[in-house]
Amino acid sequence: MAPRIGPMGEELQMPDKDAKAMMGTEDTPGGKASPNPQNLRPSVFHSIKFFVLCHSLLQLAQLMISGYLKSSISTVEKRFGLSSQTSGLLAAFNEVGNTALIVFVSYFGSRVHRPRLIGCGAILAALAGILMTVPHFISEPYRYDHTSPGGINLTSKDPRWVGAWWLGFLISAGAVALAAIPYFFFPKEMPKEKQELRFRRKGLEVSDLPVSKGEDSSSEQSPADSPEKKDNLAQIAPDLTVIQFIKVFPRVLLRTLRHPIFLLVVLSQVCMSSMAAGMATFLPKFLERQFSITASYANLLIGCLTIPLAIVGIVVGGILVKRLRLGPLHCGTLCLLGALCCLILSTPLFFMGCSSHQVAGISHQPGAQPGLELFPGCMESCSCPSDDFNPVCDSSTRVEYITPCHAGCTSRVVQEVPDKSQVLYNNCSCVAGGGPVSAGSCDSACSHLVLPFMILVSLGAALASVTHTPSFMLILRGVKKEDKTLAVGIQFMLMRVLAWMPSPVIHGSAIDTTCVYWAQSCGRRAVCRYYDHDLLRNRFIGLQFFFKTGSLACFALILAILRQQDKEERTKATKPNPGLQQQLLASEAKKEPEESRV
């Protein structure tokens, strides 16, 4: 008779029919099997491919909310009278929740029903998207003109134009809510995954059983105290208590941060992410101000040029690493070349723009007619309110006035043209010849440069994205095997804390310093009406240039360290080993007496 096998062996040798029955009963209420044989058929929610599809759709929907938030920054500023620093702070709060919860989710993620946790998080994100639209419904109607008793038909080129900014949040939130529904029907563990975890747990039970009294009783130690596992946080995290997790985490964190390659790669990615965060948040506004284009056209250019080329750059970087089988040294070289070319392409951006046009009473340019920078006596009798904003443009002299009242105009004419109506103001005492002047701001003299500007920006984004995969490989190949999972988590946490959170605020503060005329609302400073275009371009592009230079410097240091390590390895390979030489001499000495005997 064969020896009796315990309960553990019986479970390991479970027949396929019993395994299928268990798979069908573990996720049913009460664990009771359903008598219906159709329940044993594989469900679509037990397919890992369907889970990947659902997760891709959910990530796409969530990115719609964050992406739409950044694209509507300039509109929200005009609607609620916010400064760029305040709007940058709003964009930064999008990362606060991720950063605050990433550690807790990493720890408790393996202890709960993960698909349902993802679904609950998606529902929470959908509610947040709906919450963003609440100010539109509870605030007063938007009043863009206080000077005329008659609601004027604005065009999208008017600086006071505010579109249906809230509608995109409702659509994105609805998409996230729909994408979250399948997660509530997925099992806690996939069938294949359940079998693997069962074997793994039983294997751990076997290793914990005492074999004899003379053997080491290391199996009685806790997972955190085991010498083989004490540093492998990724494997022992599911078995740790909260106190043990807190004790182990700082030691592994400090050891990972002390690795020079890891630290420099993370710093370079922080610089790249700071550049990307600032550009994603304020590039549409920069294009609107610098080239006099609409918000929709600015976002269309970014969506059609910059983002696709950035995706292409990531794919090309991955293909180069895979096909050429690049090692750490060559990955560092590829990162350095990508950052250098990106920096070179950003240099011409400093000169692609034009100066601000003249605004009567605000700015004065050399060679302009004297007296235009100050409001002359022609409008003293008009008693113009200081907080109104209804710009008009004298196209003959390219001088803009804050309101028709500031231009001394007394009459208004509406001309009907195909597809739109044009408003003209006549009898303007402050305008040479009495007018007419047209409603709206003066167009930029360099609007034709917007496409070359965006092509250079997009090419720079593509070259910067080429460094994404090789820099990620440097992290995976540079840290210890047991620390790879934690290293990736630390990487993303530091990128959020040091880049995606502060960068929008830094860029917004820099943009605010270039403002030359602030609107007033309830006695406080509100939205900026006019910027110094040259100063705006130099500071915005200058910040981008600064972060690109920092990334280039980090990659240069990484390459220098990798070359030094490669040189040391080659020296060790060519240098003779004294211990090996002594062993060879000893073996030869033993052979000599044997040969003499022969």
Side-chain angles (χ1 to χ4, degrees):
M1 175 181 275
R4 185 174 182 271
I5 301 177
M8 177 188 65
E10 291 176 357
E11 184 173 354
L12 291 175
Q13 297 180 359
M14 181 184 298
D16 294 340
K17 183 172 69 175
D18 295 338
K20 292 181 180 178
M22 176 178 286
M23 289 160 47
T25 60
E26 280 190 7
D27 294 314
T28 57
K32 297 182 179 179
S34 174
N36 189 356
Q38 293 183 354
N39 293 333
L40 298 179
R41 297 178 182 177
S43 171
V44 67
F45 294 103
H46 288 77
S47 172
I48 190 65
K49 294 182 180 179
F50 184 67
F51 179 83
V52 172
L53 174 63
C54 294
H55 202 62
S56 301
L57 295 177
L58 178 61
Q59 291 294 318
L60 178 62
Q62 286 181 329
L63 287 175
M64 286 175 60
I65 295 181
S66 59
Y68 187 79
L69 171 64
K70 293 177 174 61
S71 66
S72 59
I73 284 291
S74 60
T75 303
V76 174
E77 286 183 7
K78 287 185 286 187
R79 174 63 181 87
F80 299 103
L82 305 179
S83 63
S84 295
Q85 183 183 21
T86 304
S87 58
L89 189 62
L90 293 178
F93 272 118
N94 187 49
E95 304 295 332
V96 172
N98 296 334
T99 308
L101 296 177
I102 188 171
V103 177
F104 298 99
V105 172
S106 301
Y107 176 70
F108 292 105
S110 59
R111 301 175 177 230
V112 297
H113 197 298
R114 284 171 288 184
R116 292 179 184 172
L117 181 64
I118 296 174
C120 293
I123 295 297
L124 185 63
L127 293 177
I130 297 175
L131 187 63
M132 293 179 185
T133 66
V134 172
H136 170 75
F137 299 101
I138 64 176
S139 58
E140 296 181 354
Y142 176 54
R143 299 186 62 184
Y144 52 84
D145 185 23
H146 301 271
T147 60
S148 175
I152 299 174
N153 294 326
L154 298 182
T155 63
S156 57
K157 287 189 175 182
D158 196 288
R160 299 166 295 171
W161 171 268
V162 172
W165 60 271
W166 48 273
L167 187 59
F169 288 111
L170 291 179
I171 296 175
S172 302
V176 172
L178 290 176
I181 294 177
Y183 284 89
F184 295 97
F185 299 95
F186 283 106
K188 182 178 181 180
E189 299 170 354
M190 289 297 177
K192 184 178 179 181
E193 182 185 2
K194 286 195 289 188
Q195 294 178 3
E196 292 177 354
L197 289 177
R198 189 181 304 119
F199 279 102
R200 180 181 173 188
R201 289 169 182 168
K202 295 305 177 183
L204 290 177
E205 291 179 5
V206 171
S207 63
D208 290 339
L209 290 176
V211 209
S212 64
K213 295 181 180 180
E215 291 192 3
D216 187 14
S217 59
S218 60
S219 59
E220 298 178 359
Q221 297 177 354
S222 63
D225 298 331
S226 177
E228 295 84 2
K229 297 181 179 180
K230 65 180 181 180
D231 290 333
N232 195 346
L233 187 61
Q235 293 183 4
I236 68 175
D239 302 321
L240 292 178
T241 63
V242 177
I243 298 177
Q244 291 173 338
F245 182 82
I246 294 175
K247 289 181 179 179
V248 175
F249 182 79
R251 181 171 65 251
V252 183
L253 175 64
L254 292 176
R255 185 183 67 197
T256 306
L257 290 178
R258 283 199 301 264
H259 196 287
I261 297 297
F262 173 80
L263 188 59
L264 287 173
V265 170
V266 170
L267 289 178
S268 66
Q269 291 182 341
V270 164
C271 292
M272 285 291 186
S273 299
S274 299
M275 175 199 69
M279 184 173 292
T281 306
F282 291 108
L283 183 59
K285 178 177 180 176
F286 176 83
L287 296 177
E288 292 177 46
R289 297 291 183 170
Q290 194 70 219
F291 302 106
S292 298
I293 61 175
T294 62
S296 58
Y297 185 54
N299 287 286
L300 182 65
L301 290 175
I302 297 173
C304 293
L305 291 177
T306 308
I307 295 179
L309 284 180
I311 296 174
V312 170
I314 295 176
V315 174
V316 169
I319 292 176
L320 290 176
V321 172
K322 182 179 180 180
R323 295 296 177 88
L324 301 180
R325 297 181 179 179
L326 301 181
L329 184 62
H330 293 91
C331 284
T333 304
L334 180 60
C335 291
L336 182 65
L337 291 177
L340 178 61
C341 295
C342 177
L343 186 67
I344 294 174
L345 283 179
S346 64
T347 304
L349 300 180
F350 286 99
F351 311 100
M352 300 181 68
C354 51
S355 302
S356 305
H357 54 267
Q358 188 175 3
V359 182
I362 296 177
S363 61
H364 173 68
Q365 296 181 350
Q369 300 179 9
L372 282 177
E373 71 280 5
L374 299 174
F375 292 123
C378 57
M379 45 81 60
E380 288 182 354
S381 58
C382 299
S383 301
C384 302
S386 59
D387 58 344
D388 284 344
F389 183 67
N390 182 17
V392 293
C393 177
D394 183 7
S395 56
S396 60
T397 59
R398 289 190 53 80
V399 177
E400 185 172 328
Y401 300 86
I402 300 177
T403 64
C405 179
H406 288 84
C409 303
T410 58
S411 62
R412 182 170 69 99
V413 178
V414 179
Q415 293 184 350
E416 297 294 337
V417 294
D419 300 331
K420 64 177 182 179
S421 58
Q422 184 178 8
V423 180
L424 298 176
Y425 295 89
N426 296 319
N427 301 325
C428 304
S429 57
C430 298
V431 179
V437 293
S438 58
S441 296
C442 298
D443 291 333
S444 174
C446 53
S447 299
H448 59 284
L449 295 178
V450 62
L451 284 179
F453 183 91
M454 285 303 301
I455 290 175
L456 286 179
V457 169
S458 303
L459 290 177
L463 291 171
S465 301
V466 170
T467 67
H468 182 269
T469 302
S471 62
F472 190 73
M473 296 304 297
L474 287 175
I475 291 180
L476 294 181
R477 296 178 181 179
V479 299
K480 293 185 178 181
K481 182 179 180 180
E482 61 269 16
D483 295 339
K484 289 183 178 181
T485 304
L486 182 64
V488 174
I490 295 173
Q491 171 199 7
F492 284 103
M493 183 180 69
L494 292 178
M495 286 170 58
R496 285 187 172 95
V497 173
L498 301 179
W500 289 98
M501 289 175 60
S503 181
V505 181
I506 294 173
H507 281 78
S509 301
I511 291 175
D512 285 341
T513 60
T514 66
C515 183
V516 294
Y517 179 73
W518 291 93
Q520 299 294 323
S521 177
C522 300
R524 65 174 184 87
R525 193 177 73 174
V527 66
C528 180
R529 298 296 190 189
Y530 294 104
Y531 292 92
D532 186 333
H533 288 183
D534 291 333
L535 198 59
L536 173 63
R537 182 174 64 255
N538 291 333
R539 294 191 177 177
F540 183 77
I541 303 300
L543 268 178
Q544 300 283 304
F545 195 88
F546 171 77
F547 288 123
K548 293 176 183 177
T549 304
S551 179
L552 179 65
C554 291
F555 283 131
L557 291 175
I558 291 171
L559 187 60
I561 295 175
L562 290 175
R563 284 183 175 178
Q564 182 65 25
Q565 292 178 353
D566 185 66
K567 184 178 179 180
E568 292 176 357
E569 290 178 359
R570 291 182 180 180
T571 304
K572 289 181 181 180
T574 57
K575 186 177 180 180
N577 191 346
L580 182 60
Q581 287 183 350
Q582 291 179 0
Q583 293 178 2
L584 292 176
L585 291 175
S587 61
E588 291 177 359
K590 292 180 180 179
K591 290 180 180 179
E592 287 180 357
E594 295 178 357
E595 293 176 355
S596 62
R597 292 174 188 170
V598 175

